[in-house]
Amino acid sequence: MASNKDFVEYIADQCSGAGEIVTKKMFGDYGIYCNGKIFGLICDDCFYVKPTEAGRRMLRVVDMRPPYEGAKDYFYIADVDDRDYLAELVRETMKGMRS
C-alpha cells in the first residue's frame, strides 16, 4: 500500500523548521530529505526516521520498526502533529548522521 500524497506533504510541512525538506517517491513510498540528505522514510502512511543516538535522546517514545518488509529497523514516529518536536528531531538526527 502506498502513502497518501496529502500525508506525505503534511509530514514534510511538519518537519520544515529543520531546513529544506524534500520528499522523493521511491518504489511507491517516499524518502524524506533535509538539506539534500535522506533522514527518513514515509511508508504506508507511517513516518520513520533513521536511528541515531542523537535522535534517540530526543524521542518521547522509542519504537523501532522496519518501514517495509526486509528493511532494517527505523524509529517509528507516531506523534506527527507537534511541528516543533519534529523539526528538532530532524535537526538532531542530521547532527547524529554527521558523526
Side-chain angles (χ1 to χ4, degrees):
M1 179 175 140
S3 292
N4 179 299
K5 184 67 174 160
D6 290 337
F7 180 78
V8 172
E9 290 172 5
Y10 179 73
I11 296 298
D13 184 61
Q14 290 294 90
C15 296
S16 65
E20 181 186 353
I21 303 296
V22 174
T23 60
K24 295 183 182 178
K25 195 163 181 114
M26 300 169 35
F27 307 109
D29 281 303
Y30 294 83
I32 186 165
Y33 299 72
C34 181
N35 299 328
K37 189 164 188 175
I38 191 166
F39 69 87
L41 299 169
I42 302 169
C43 300
D44 295 331
D45 290 335
C46 294
F47 180 40
Y48 300 90
V49 173
K50 283 187 175 185
T52 64
E53 282 307 311
R56 181 182 297 274
R57 287 189 294 271
M58 280 285 309
L59 291 176
R60 295 173 179 162
V61 175
V62 177
D63 185 354
M64 301 287 292
R65 300 180 189 185
Y68 54 89
E69 189 175 326
K72 293 180 182 180
D73 284 345
Y74 275 56
F75 295 134
Y76 168 70
I77 310 301
D79 182 6
V80 296
D81 295 323
D82 185 337
R83 183 183 185 93
D84 294 334
Y85 169 66
L86 289 183
E88 185 64 21
L89 175 59
V90 172
R91 282 192 292 271
E92 289 302 308
T93 296
M94 297 301 291
K95 286 180 194 173
M97 289 169 48
R98 290 187 195 117
S99 54

